[in-house]
Amino acid sequence: MREVFIKSSYDETEQPFLYYPAREENRPLLVGLHTWSFDRFNQVERLVPFAEKLDFNLILPEFRGPNLETNPHCTEACGSPAAINDILDDIDYICKTEKIDTKNIFLLGASGGGHMALMTAAASPELFACVASFVPITDVKRWAKENENYAPGIIACCGGDEREMGKRSPISYTKQLAKANLKIFCGKYDHIVPFKHSLDLYNEILKADEKARVYLDIFDGGHEMVLSKAEEWIMSQYKKQKSEIVTG
């Protein structure tokens, strides 16, 4: 794995991400997103072995760090335009500098990473072969009221502005998310982000477009990312894409 620094196309600041290459050339790209309170190193131990198993390239973006009041750049984190742009910049850079199968880019995140997977998918729904969002926060304002432990970070990231909380909530972008190939996973017994965040978003996306390629998996668990489920979803869409290429 190597650390890469590139200039942001949003504000020209230097921003980091981690890159782990596949063994073979022209393999898919997995974009793994860190959780709410952490940074780009958060998913190294879990997603490097996952990418190795699939022989996928892997990038782990920073997207302005944790969504905490202790982050001096917190207003640029938490689903901001800068954070979303950083993820897209990282993808663009690695696809231009490495031999990547650009028709098979997969986006994966849990909790705060699930939130950012949705925000990024809304910004560029057709970029990803599929998106896997686990136990996501879908309404930031609502979550600030539901979980007092995370409320200070939300207030700091959004400047205490409820309109800004709306802008940083996937529930505000249902028409855009309806254009993505998306599966939302939520634990029935999640006591950190209630599963209704996922259920409500799913229903609202279908209201926006009843033919949307959005799926919901309410699994028997809590606030967690189940990699076996992620693998099943990602590989089903990868194989589908490969089949379409062969038979087309």
Side-chain angles (χ1 to χ4, degrees), residues 150-171:
Y150 293 92
I154 293 169
I155 292 168
C157 289
C158 299
D161 187 340
E162 292 188 354
R163 291 173 300 178
E164 190 64 24
M165 293 179 192
K167 292 177 182 178
R168 299 182 185 215
S169 296
I171 197 75

Side-chain angles (χ1 to χ4, degrees), residues 133-182:
S133 174
F134 279 82
V135 295
I137 299 95
T138 66
D139 186 330
V140 171
K141 177 184 173 182
R142 170 181 171 180
W143 197 48
K145 294 178 180 178
E146 292 172 340
N147 197 317
E148 63 181 13
N149 293 327
Y150 293 92
I154 293 169
I155 292 168
C157 289
C158 299
D161 187 340
E162 292 188 354
R163 291 173 300 178
E164 190 64 24
M165 293 179 192
K167 292 177 182 178
R168 299 182 185 215
S169 296
I171 197 75
S172 300
Y173 304 99
T174 54
K175 290 182 179 179
Q176 295 90 330
L177 286 168
K179 299 175 183 178
N181 185 22
L182 167 65

